Amino acid sequence: IEDRAGTVWIGGVNGLFYWQDGQFHASAIPKSHIKDLRLGKKGELWVAGLGFVPFALSVSDLLQLKRGETVEVKPFTTSSAWEAAIGNFRVWALDIDNHGAVWFGLDNRHASYDGADLKIHWKDSTVVHQYLAIAAFNQDSVFWGSEDTPALFQHQGRLTPVAQPTNAPVTYIITKTDA
């Protein structure tokens, strides 16, 4: 994802990297398995993945990383509060809606964080679903995608499968634009 300064940030199994001056650079963020990155309303970089509580790096943090400095990673909630609400440390996808709320695609559940509260929107423990794609527009309109279910549309608290042909691909990628 490209930040407002034009730096491209890349996450993967070996942590957070950035592309600058025609080459990749490792950041000083501890090695982690990053699954998704998004820019917040204030230019902060939200980081989510496997084995850690999601966190945001401020614009100042990003500048420090590009200077080769270490920054303190501050998750938006404690590990114990996250584990009590979510049950594990696997975030497959995230998105930020038009109001700045951060949405998380998890195992068997969907959640959001509005800057004050972590809210579970849907939970199904009967079968394992990994929600790998999210397009969040606001609290009432969110599309979800997974490997093993059709795309889902959440509207006013109801979750509805989106009609897809039987040979439709699994939903790995959902993208929204401001256009």
Side-chain angles (χ1 to χ4, degrees):
I1 190 162
E2 186 174 1
D3 68 17
R4 293 178 181 168
T7 302
V8 176
W9 295 90
I10 301 122
V13 296
N14 292 317
L16 183 64
F17 295 81
Y18 61 96
W19 177 263
Q20 186 172 305
D21 301 325
Q23 55 187 325
F24 285 106
H25 303 272
S27 75
I29 296 297
K31 183 179 175 184
S32 51
H33 189 151
I34 296 171
K35 298 297 283 181
D36 211 347
L37 303 169
R38 290 289 185 265
L39 279 183
K41 291 256 183 209
K42 298 174 187 165
E44 74 277 19
L45 181 67
W46 278 87
V47 181
L50 307 180
F52 61 93
V53 176
F55 59 89
L57 297 167
S58 69
V59 172
S60 173
D61 291 338
L62 297 176
L63 290 171
Q64 284 181 255
L65 289 173
K66 291 192 294 188
R67 289 192 302 260
E69 299 171 13
T70 303
V71 299
E72 182 182 354
V73 172
K74 300 173 205 149
F76 73 92
T77 190
T78 65
S79 293
S80 58
W82 178 269
E83 190 167 23
I86 304 303
N88 65 49
F89 296 94
R90 291 188 298 269
V91 180
W92 300 101
L94 71 121
D95 197 15
I96 300 174
D97 72 21
N98 297 335
H99 302 288
V102 183
W103 291 79
F104 305 101
L106 309 156
D107 289 340
N108 303 330
R109 67 196 78 210
H110 312 144
S112 69
Y113 173 67
D114 64 5
D117 297 310
L118 179 63
K119 181 179 178 185
I120 306 298
H121 293 274
W122 181 76
K123 179 179 177 180
D124 179 1
S125 300
T126 61
V127 65
V128 176
H129 300 292
Q130 295 170 338
Y131 290 93
L132 305 173
I134 306 168
F137 297 93
N138 57 50
Q139 288 287 108
D140 289 329
S141 299
V142 182
F143 280 96
W144 300 94
S146 100
E147 290 184 331
D148 46 338
T149 64
L152 301 168
F153 180 61
Q154 176 181 324
H155 183 68
Q156 297 179 340
R158 289 188 48 218
L159 202 60
T160 307
V162 176
Q164 292 183 350
T166 55
N167 63 347
V170 296
T171 313
Y172 285 113
I173 301 169
I174 299 175
T175 302
K176 66 181 185 200
T177 65
D178 293 331

